[in-house]
Amino acid sequence: MEKYDVLIIGAGPAGLFCAEHLAGSDLRVLVVEKNDVPGDKVCAGGLTEKDLELLPVPDDLIEVRMHESVLKAPLVEMRTQHPKPVLFTVDRKRLGAWQAERVRERGIEVRTGVRVQQIEKDHVVVAGGEKIGYRYLVGADGQNSLVRKYLQLPVEKKIFTLQYRIPWHDGPRFEIHMNGRYFHSWYGWIFPHKDELVVGTGGDARYVSPQWMKKRFYKWLEKNGLDVSGAVYESYPISYDYRGWDFDPVFLAGEAAGLASGLTGEGIYQALVSGRAVADKILKKRDTFPEIDQIIRYNAIQHKFLGILIKSGPFRNLILNSILLYLKANKKMKKKVSRTLT
Ligand SMILES: Cc1cc2nc3c(=O)[nH]c(=O)nc-3n(C[C@H](O)[C@H](O)[C@H](O)COP(=O)(O)OP(=O)(O)OC[C@H]3O[C@@H](n4cnc5c(N)ncnc54)[C@H](O)[C@@H]3O)c2cc1C
């Protein structure tokens, strides 16, 4: 059996960022990925400046830089021109390939097409029967994490999502639509990519059925003149059920730890931050992780707000209209929210 000091399961943003931060140490590190290529993941591909501060994605990987955002509630629309780009979009496969290349260049092995099927105390068994030994195990294996199951941590909070990639040549659009009639307590998004728009929505199936979501989503698409007849359909869950990340010598990073936002669905930033934290913990570089504490605090605020929207029933649209009206009137607050979101 081959033995590694650190075995990372999953070559998404969390696993590859963790590997990158372990490079240069004297630890023997292996990343295994079940797909044939890293980064092949359903995603709207939206990054903000805080992602790019952590991960210096090269210019040619950024498909669109948006300076204009549109926030829509049923009766109020807020169009904002931002001095700096507020959204950057990337193709997840290209991002994954680039991240994996960086990791390999730093001397770390990334093996694709290797699915971990079983986890034991000091080794895993992959499809085909091979055993791989480990001293530290990192679960960066996403929303349906096997490592999380091994730790016996349940996942109760999940967002069901659906999105379409629509061929598009009429100029970029970055829009967030909040309307209880179509999206319950969540929202619909329009993200611009090279020659396409990614339009989608999501919601927690404990409060809104996927059937309801789909039906309303199609109504919203029709109302907004978005034709999905030649578009690619995609659907994938997002886990936002955080129950800890440090179970030394086993660690969870990114969505395996449930660190994505249950309100916005954003998860790449959290994956990068936690991937790096796991590496620092294994390298015994530090004992405190304020950036993870901040994500947990920030997610808790978002989830409180989400709880209010879920419970608000017929008043939901009133709340959404009032928030946008308030933001429109209060420039300081608008700047603050825009800074927090990016
Ligand atoms: C529709 C949709 C839109 C989204 N849009 C955005 C967005 O615009 N911006 C944003 O920040 N976030 C977005 N997210 C969330 C974001 O995609 C995730 O939070 C992020 O990818 C999590 O990164 P991760 O590395 O933790 O997990 P993942 O990216 O899911 O990577 C996990 C990896 O582990 C591999 N794996 C799983 N099990 C095994 C196994 N047993 N053996 C080997 N490998 C395994 C998987 O194949 C995968 O490559 C979106 C999510 C969805 C569903």
Side-chain angles (χ1 to χ4, degrees):
M1 172 168 84
E2 272 227 79
K3 282 192 179 162
Y4 289 83
D5 294 305
V6 187
L7 175 63
I8 302 173
I9 307 181
L16 291 172
F17 207 52
C18 180
E20 189 179 323
H21 282 81
L22 290 168
S25 70
D26 51 10
L27 298 177
R28 194 163 179 237
V29 181
L30 171 69
V31 183
V32 290
E33 165 57 50
K34 70 175 161 62
N35 291 334
D36 291 337
V37 290
D40 193 3
K41 155 90 175 62
V42 175
C43 186
L47 301 179
T48 59
E49 209 169 74
K50 64 184 196 294
D51 292 294
L52 301 185
E53 277 166 14
L54 288 172
L55 194 64
V57 177
D59 276 359
D60 64 326
L61 240 64
I62 308 243
E63 297 193 332
V64 177
R65 288 172 178 74
M66 279 308 288
H67 282 265
E68 185 183 75
S69 63
V70 179
L71 274 179
K72 279 189 179 181
L75 299 175
V76 190
E77 176 174 317
M78 187 169 91
R79 192 174 286 270
T80 314
Q81 290 293 335
H82 304 266
K84 288 201 279 181
V86 70
L87 177 82
F88 305 79
T89 55
V90 290
D91 174 277
R92 281 294 300 265
K93 262 199 217 168
R94 289 189 69 207
L95 180 73
W98 173 76
Q99 257 196 294
E101 192 50 38
R102 264 167 84 84
V103 167
R104 287 184 174 123
E105 276 168 5
R106 285 163 172 76
I108 288 185
E109 201 184 333
V110 181
R111 285 170 61 187
T112 54
V114 177
R115 177 193 288 270
V116 174
Q117 284 190 324
Q118 193 183 324
I119 299 173
E120 300 295 341
K121 200 168 71 64
D122 58 356
H123 70 276
V124 302
V125 184
V126 305
E130 186 194 349
K131 291 180 180 174
I132 304 173
Y134 67 81
R135 215 154 49 87
Y136 295 103
L137 180 68
V138 182
D141 45 349
Q143 57 83 28
N144 192 24
S145 165
L146 195 67
V147 181
R148 190 178 168 117
K149 284 179 193 143
Y150 170 72
L151 291 167
Q152 300 187 334
L153 300 174
V155 181
E156 283 166 12
K157 299 177 188 167
K158 269 197 186 188
I159 298 176
F160 163 88
T161 69
L162 65 153
Q163 67 176 20
Y164 279 97
R165 316 188 75 91
I166 308 178
W168 188 262
H169 304 283
D170 286 350
R173 287 168 67 179
F174 170 34
E175 297 175 19
I176 299 294
H177 292 232
M178 300 170 296
N179 188 330
R181 190 177 148 83
Y182 299 109
F183 307 115
H184 199 276
S185 308
W186 287 267
Y187 67 97
W189 66 78
I190 302 178
F191 276 25
H193 279 260
K194 189 170 172 278
D195 302 328
E196 61 182 17
L197 288 181
V198 175
V199 298
T201 187
D204 189 325
R206 289 174 305 167
Y207 306 102
V208 50
S209 79
Q211 291 74 16
W212 184 93
M213 240 184 288
K214 274 187 186 166
K215 217 167 98 189
R216 297 298 169 116
F217 182 56
Y218 290 125
K219 285 216 159 82
W220 173 78
L221 287 170
E222 200 184 319
K223 189 168 164 260
N224 284 276
L226 293 162
D227 178 12
V228 293
S229 48
V232 178
Y233 173 81
E234 298 175 323
S235 174
Y236 203 71
I238 298 176
S239 160
Y240 66 105
D241 201 345
Y242 174 73
R243 296 179 192 232
W245 64 278
D246 177 357
F247 304 89
D248 198 354
V250 179
F251 299 92
L252 295 175
E255 251 186 72
L259 282 167
S261 162
L263 180 70
T264 66
E266 182 193 9
I268 296 174
Y269 173 72
Q270 296 89 326
L272 297 174
V273 166
S274 55
R276 185 184 58 184
V278 169
D280 284 358
K281 178 79 206 241
I282 290 171
L283 295 172
K284 299 189 176 23
K285 274 193 175 167
R286 55 196 172 115
D287 289 324
T288 55
F289 299 90
E291 71 279 34
I292 297 220
D293 298 342
Q294 194 185 21
I295 288 174
I296 294 163
R297 259 199 321 273
Y298 187 45
N299 278 356
I301 296 169
Q302 290 198 351
H303 298 162
K304 216 171 240 175
F305 176 62
L306 180 61
I308 295 171
L309 285 181
I310 288 168
K311 282 190 197 130
S312 59
F315 301 106
R316 196 169 294 130
N317 279 350
L318 187 69
I319 295 175
L320 295 171
N321 284 324
S322 310
I323 292 173
L324 269 206
L325 267 181
Y326 176 71
L327 285 181
K328 274 185 95 162
N330 189 329
K331 278 200 178 129
K332 244 187 180 169
M333 189 51 110
K334 186 171 160 184
K335 242 190 186 160
K336 205 171 160 187
V337 169
S338 153
R339 257 208 314 270
T340 325
L341 288 176
T342 58

